[in-house]
Amino acid sequence: MPGGPHAGRPRFAQTVLADMIDRIASGEFAPGASLPSEPELLAEYGVSRGVAREAVKLLESRGIARTHHGLGTRVTPYDDWNLLDPIVLSACTRYDIDQQIQSELATLRASLESDLAESAARVATPADIDVLDEYLEDMQQSVERPDEFHDIDVLFHGKLMSMTGSRLIRQVVRTVHDYVRREVEMSFATVDELRATNDEHTAIRDAVAAGDPVAARAAMTAHITDAWVRRSSAIREHAREEGLP
């Protein structure tokens, strides 16, 4: 019941969970490594035994750890991790030095959103196009304010997806887009990149407004692919400047 003796347990367990996933994704605990024991978790995080056990259960539910009787809790192989869980995806993206996960996410987004853009071109109404035009204008006015630009960018893509009524695909794309954007895009956006992005948005809008599914698919694929190429180059350049591997 609210305010009961266990009311704070989920919140504290989530805090421990997020930190442990971050430590695992960073490589502090590699696949096969033993995680801190229950007494060690109590000492490190200053939480109760119940909170520590709940945090371990949450790790296991995300496929990132497994408890073996008599052997403690160990990190599972990468293939077992639930990469579409927001906390796992966020941490893995943050430590994705070789850009493999980000590249795969861009490919996934391109595939899914191109399908949706094709569908949107078949069903778009004049009112839908008016909304897209408003977002394009707002983004054009926001190229020097990346945070604001990206918020409107999300609305633009969301509007295209909502035209199709495909709720499951929209949810997957939203998860992918939100966490890549949060961890990567906003860190490396430049005015020139945002202008190029909006030119690509305009090509998508024009194809959708013309009712051309083939052109809409091609424009969305080009947009997401080219945006990733630009972003990838910026990330590599930043790594060189910082002396990172």
Side-chain angles (χ1 to χ4, degrees), residues 154-192:
V154 170
L155 295 175
F156 178 88
H157 284 267
K159 175 59 180 176
L160 284 166
M161 291 188 289
S162 70
M163 294 180 199
T164 70
S166 181
R167 291 181 295 173
L168 179 58
I169 296 178
R170 284 160 58 191
Q171 184 61 48
V172 173
V173 171
R174 187 177 299 116
T175 298
V176 171
H177 191 192
D178 283 355
Y179 284 88
V180 172
R181 185 172 69 95
R182 182 178 303 174
E183 303 299 342
V184 181
E185 289 182 356
M186 291 176 63
S187 301
F188 299 100
T190 65
V191 171
D192 287 343

Side-chain angles (χ1 to χ4, degrees), residues 87-245:
I87 302 176
V88 178
L89 179 59
S90 179
C92 289
T93 301
R94 192 157 51 250
Y95 294 104
D96 186 27
I97 295 175
D98 62 4
Q99 302 181 26
Q100 178 179 347
I101 293 175
Q102 296 165 62
S103 180
E104 291 178 8
L105 289 173
T107 300
L108 175 61
R109 264 195 74 199
S111 177
L112 295 177
E113 290 204 57
S114 295
D115 284 346
L116 295 177
E118 179 179 329
S119 297
R122 293 192 173 99
V123 299
T125 66
D128 291 329
I129 303 305
D130 287 343
V131 173
L132 294 179
D133 286 342
E134 290 178 12
Y135 291 148
L136 286 171
E137 178 61 27
D138 289 344
M139 280 185 282
Q140 187 61 36
Q141 299 300 319
S142 304
V143 291
E144 296 183 0
R145 299 183 297 278
D147 288 2
E148 182 178 332
F149 182 99
H150 282 299
D151 286 342
I152 306 167
D153 183 336
V154 170
L155 295 175
F156 178 88
H157 284 267
K159 175 59 180 176
L160 284 166
M161 291 188 289
S162 70
M163 294 180 199
T164 70
S166 181
R167 291 181 295 173
L168 179 58
I169 296 178
R170 284 160 58 191
Q171 184 61 48
V172 173
V173 171
R174 187 177 299 116
T175 298
V176 171
H177 191 192
D178 283 355
Y179 284 88
V180 172
R181 185 172 69 95
R182 182 178 303 174
E183 303 299 342
V184 181
E185 289 182 356
M186 291 176 63
S187 301
F188 299 100
T190 65
V191 171
D192 287 343
E193 179 183 349
L194 296 186
R195 285 181 176 144
T197 295
N198 219 31
D199 288 342
E200 292 161 1
H201 286 155
T202 300
I204 296 167
R205 175 267 179 212
D206 289 347
V208 171
D212 188 336
V214 174
R217 167 181 281 278
M220 181 63 79
T221 300
H223 164 50
I224 295 176
T225 302
D226 291 350
W228 167 240
V229 170
R230 292 192 298 269
R231 193 161 60 247
S232 177
S233 297
I235 293 170
R236 288 196 299 271
E237 180 60 30
H238 174 76
R240 283 194 293 268
E241 291 174 354
E242 296 294 321
L244 299 174

Side-chain angles (χ1 to χ4, degrees), residues 10-24 45 51 54-62 64 85 87-88:
R11 177 167 58 86
F12 290 127
Q14 286 287 338
T15 299
V16 177
L17 170 72
D19 189 66
M20 287 303 302
I21 289 178
D22 195 78
R23 294 169 70 182
I24 293 168
Y45 293 101
V51 167
E54 180 67 18
V56 171
K57 288 181 181 177
L58 292 172
L59 281 172
E60 291 178 318
S61 72
R62 286 159 172 80
I64 204 166
D85 176 83
I87 302 176
V88 178

Side-chain angles (χ1 to χ4, degrees), residues 67-79:
T67 300
H68 303 269
H69 182 68
L71 297 175
T73 303
R74 296 180 182 274
V75 179
T76 56
Y78 292 121
D79 286 348

